[in-house]
Amino acid sequence: MSETAVPSEPIRGRRGVSDTSTLHEDLVSEIRTLVIEGDLEPGAKIPERVLCERFGVSRTPLREALKTLASEGLLELLPRRGVRVARLTEEDVDQMFPIMGALEALLGELACAHLTEEQFAEIQALHYQMVLHFTRRELAPYFRVNQQIHEKILEAAANPLLLQMYGNLAGRIRRARYVANMSGDRWSQAIKEHEEMLAALSRRDGPALADVLRRHLRNKCETVKSYLRSGT
Amino acid sequence: MSETAVPSEPIRGRRGVSDTSTLHEDLVSEIRTLVIEGDLEPGAKIPERVLCERFGVSRTPLREALKTLASEGLLELLPRRGVRVARLTEEDVDQMFPIMGALEALLGELACAHLTEEQFAEIQALHYQMVLHFTRRELAPYFRVNQQIHEKILEAAANPLLLQMYGNLAGRIRRARYVANMSGDRWSQAIKEHEEMLAALSRRDGPALADVLRRHLRNKCETVKSYLRSGT
DNA sequence: TCGGTCAAAAATGTATACAAAAAATATAAG
DNA sequence: CTTATATTTTTTGTATACATTTTTGACCGA
């Protein structure tokens, strides 16, 4: 993770003509990606100047973006001593887990209630694709498709606010999820859970789906926590 | 709600010596109160200049505060045309209700699991106080104590993140709750629900508490929605 | 070598300045 | 009188400037 990474071509140059986006949103979303993808270490201090140079903007809009991200819980504001990437503690995960569980349970109900045949078919297709990646032990593509499946389910729930709130929590642990390598056992267990999810979805069995999602989440959570305990 | 309300004594003057707070936090919290208490109409545009003068600060910190509040969902950012107080639509409430329900169910479980005898006694005391206000038909004090009870329960759950997330959602509808006047029936129903809550709490019966909280919430929700339909 | 003090450097917090866009007002035409 | 257009005024978005505070590190003495 070299300090002199690519200066991420000035944000302003990139923006098209029919410009519905704003500099603020762009900055928020760019920096959010940096944090989630792990380009910025948790706990690392973020001098405003380096991000200013990286994105080619002045401190004013940059600071506004930082405030927004802090409000999302991705950054931490240390008055008079800058901003740092929020560190995910085991305590945080313990607080987040039951909340995500509650949201997933709701998600299961809503998704089953609203899922169309088309959506189910899409999810099914993604599922088989994911299983394929699993059998080939292709971790990155597996994660990508996995992510897509969860997004499809969230989408089916037809509740944008739920999507946003869940997404926010998921974003805060995503980094850890990427790094945490799954043991073989956990991985096949995850696949089994996905099979159950698909079955529950096809039966439109909300409570069953909620239950699977909950167990699935608990395992993800344990994986993250054991990663936190080892690495930090 | 006069436009020329008290200029809210410049924020900076108020801040004490042993100053752990920051201007940013103060501004966020002051403006948040303005929105929640209804001093700023939903849908109203907020010219930066008037808030700058009101609080005696320049645009830079003010704008940072606005960005934070927008991220909380209390304000809406309209690029190039300012900021306005988020309007609560019936659709919003429909999305928020199931989420708050899920969180309250969790809340019930956690509160029962962690509630101490002391905490229970406190809640019980507040409850009787609330019933007193009800019998006297004192709406404002009733709401205040009601609020305190819910806060105590949230506190007992011992999950700060849950508290924060729930508080955020509650804040977004609080304004409507204040204005919406409860019919006599609804009010006594609410009291009955509170009796049940207390009973469930004393038995430490999580599922029962979750159930009461859910029904209680559904009623609050209906009150809010009928208010939205009538007034706008 | 290890602290400790003080000065220099850098970073943050806030205010102001300037450019560009939107809103308001005035003006003209029908 | 209404509608359309031009012009002024406001307001927003961004950059820069300045005031404090924090951090760094040089220097000194034990």
Side-chain angles (χ1 to χ4, degrees):
Chain A
M1 212 156 308
S2 78
E3 271 306 324
T4 44
V6 187
S8 288
E9 192 51 29
I11 242 184
R12 327 205 49 185
R14 280 195 240 134
R15 297 164 64 211
V17 188
S18 61
D19 199 341
T20 56
S21 66
T22 66
L23 177 56
H24 175 72
E25 285 170 28
D26 288 349
L27 281 173
V28 168
S29 135
E30 296 268 346
I31 300 172
R32 187 192 289 123
T33 302
L34 289 183
V35 174
I36 290 178
E37 311 258 298
D39 293 329
L40 295 172
E41 294 284 324
K45 286 214 307 192
I46 306 181
E48 296 174 359
R49 217 177 44 77
V50 329
L51 285 187
C52 284
E53 283 168 12
R54 184 166 204 169
F55 294 118
V57 298
S58 75
R59 289 177 58 213
T60 310
L62 183 92
R63 282 175 57 91
E64 292 178 358
L66 294 181
K67 293 288 197 281
T68 295
L69 290 164
S71 153
E72 290 180 10
L74 251 46
L75 301 182
E76 223 169 326
L77 259 33
L78 312 175
R80 279 291 176 193
R81 42 188 56 186
V83 172
R84 74 173 169 209
V85 180
R87 217 188 273 277
L88 193 67
T89 67
E90 223 176 305
E91 199 187 336
D92 289 329
V93 178
D94 283 332
Q95 289 179 27
M96 289 165 74
F97 164 63
I99 296 176
M100 293 180 76
L103 295 182
E104 290 217 340
L106 172 61
L107 175 65
E109 301 283 357
L110 293 178
C112 282
H114 294 106
L115 194 76
T116 66
E117 271 308 317
E118 276 170 3
Q119 287 176 313
F120 176 72
E122 278 185 292
I123 291 174
Q124 200 169 30
L126 284 169
H127 176 77
Y128 292 134
Q129 201 177 325
M130 189 186 72
V131 172
L132 190 64
H133 289 309
F134 165 66
T135 59
R136 293 184 185 158
R137 294 293 187 277
E138 297 163 344
L139 192 63
Y142 168 83
F143 266 126
R144 206 187 53 241
V145 179
N146 185 323
Q147 176 79 15
Q148 285 179 318
I149 291 176
H150 284 275
E151 275 165 16
K152 285 285 176 200
I153 297 179
L154 272 164
E155 197 184 303
N159 186 327
L161 181 62
L162 176 59
L163 196 152
Q164 185 220 304
M165 291 181 68
Y166 187 86
N168 176 268
L169 291 176
R172 285 162 70 175
I173 62 168
R174 194 162 315 162
R175 199 199 107 83
R177 289 223 300 117
Y178 270 130
V179 186
N181 59 349
M182 297 168 88
S183 72
D185 272 6
R186 279 257 160 81
W187 201 352
S188 46
Q189 187 182 31
I191 288 286
K192 229 180 83 190
E193 285 157 1
H194 267 269
E195 304 275 7
E196 293 180 57
M197 275 172 39
L198 206 64
L201 269 175
S202 79
R203 296 196 313 269
R204 303 293 193 277
D205 185 343
L209 179 55
D211 187 61
V212 183
L213 287 173
R214 238 197 191 108
R215 272 183 291 131
H216 190 56
L217 173 68
R218 173 170 291 123
N219 292 333
K220 281 197 293 192
C221 187
E222 284 307 320
T223 306
V224 168
K225 280 175 67 176
S226 69
Y227 162 70
L228 286 180
R229 265 193 294 269
S230 66
T232 195
Chain B
M1 218 159 301
S2 76
E3 271 306 324
T4 44
V6 187
S8 288
E9 192 51 28
I11 243 183
R12 326 204 50 183
R14 282 195 238 136
R15 297 163 64 212
V17 188
S18 60
D19 198 340
T20 56
S21 67
T22 66
L23 177 57
H24 176 72
E25 285 170 28
D26 288 349
L27 280 174
V28 169
S29 136
E30 296 268 347
I31 301 173
R32 188 192 288 123
T33 301
L34 288 184
V35 174
I36 289 177
E37 311 258 299
D39 294 328
L40 295 172
E41 293 285 325
K45 287 212 308 191
I46 307 180
E48 297 174 358
R49 217 175 42 78
V50 328
L51 285 187
C52 285
E53 283 166 12
R54 183 166 203 165
F55 294 118
V57 299
S58 75
R59 289 176 58 214
T60 310
L62 183 91
R63 282 175 58 90
E64 292 178 358
L66 294 181
K67 292 288 195 283
T68 295
L69 290 164
S71 153
E72 290 180 11
L74 251 45
L75 301 182
E76 224 169 325
L77 261 32
L78 312 175
R80 279 289 174 194
R81 40 188 59 188
V83 172
R84 74 173 171 209
V85 180
R87 216 189 276 277
L88 193 68
T89 67
E90 223 177 305
E91 200 187 337
D92 289 329
V93 178
D94 283 331
Q95 288 179 27
M96 290 165 73
F97 163 62
I99 296 175
M100 294 181 75
L103 295 183
E104 290 217 338
L106 172 61
L107 175 65
E109 300 284 356
L110 293 178
C112 283
H114 295 105
L115 194 76
T116 66
E117 271 308 317
E118 276 171 3
Q119 286 175 313
F120 176 71
E122 278 185 291
I123 291 175
Q124 200 168 30
L126 283 170
H127 177 76
Y128 292 134
Q129 201 177 325
M130 189 185 72
V131 172
L132 190 65
H133 289 309
F134 166 66
T135 60
R136 293 184 187 156
R137 294 294 186 277
E138 297 163 343
L139 192 61
Y142 168 83
F143 266 126
R144 206 187 54 240
V145 179
N146 185 324
Q147 177 78 16
Q148 285 178 318
I149 291 177
H150 284 275
E151 274 165 16
K152 284 285 176 201
I153 297 179
L154 272 164
E155 196 185 303
N159 186 327
L161 181 61
L162 177 59
L163 196 152
Q164 185 220 307
M165 291 181 69
Y166 187 87
N168 177 267
L169 291 177
R172 284 163 71 175
I173 62 169
R174 194 164 314 162
R175 197 200 110 81
R177 289 224 299 115
Y178 271 129
V179 185
N181 58 349
M182 295 168 89
S183 71
D185 272 5
R186 280 256 159 81
W187 201 352
S188 46
Q189 188 183 29
I191 288 285
K192 229 180 84 191
E193 285 157 359
H194 267 269
E195 304 276 8
E196 293 180 58
M197 277 172 38
L198 206 63
L201 269 175
S202 80
R203 297 196 314 269
R204 303 292 193 278
D205 185 343
L209 179 55
D211 187 60
V212 184
L213 287 173
R214 240 198 190 108
R215 272 184 291 131
H216 190 56
L217 173 69
R218 173 170 292 124
N219 292 334
K220 280 197 293 192
C221 187
E222 284 306 321
T223 306
V224 169
K225 280 175 68 176
S226 71
Y227 162 70
L228 287 180
R229 266 193 294 269
S230 66
T232 195

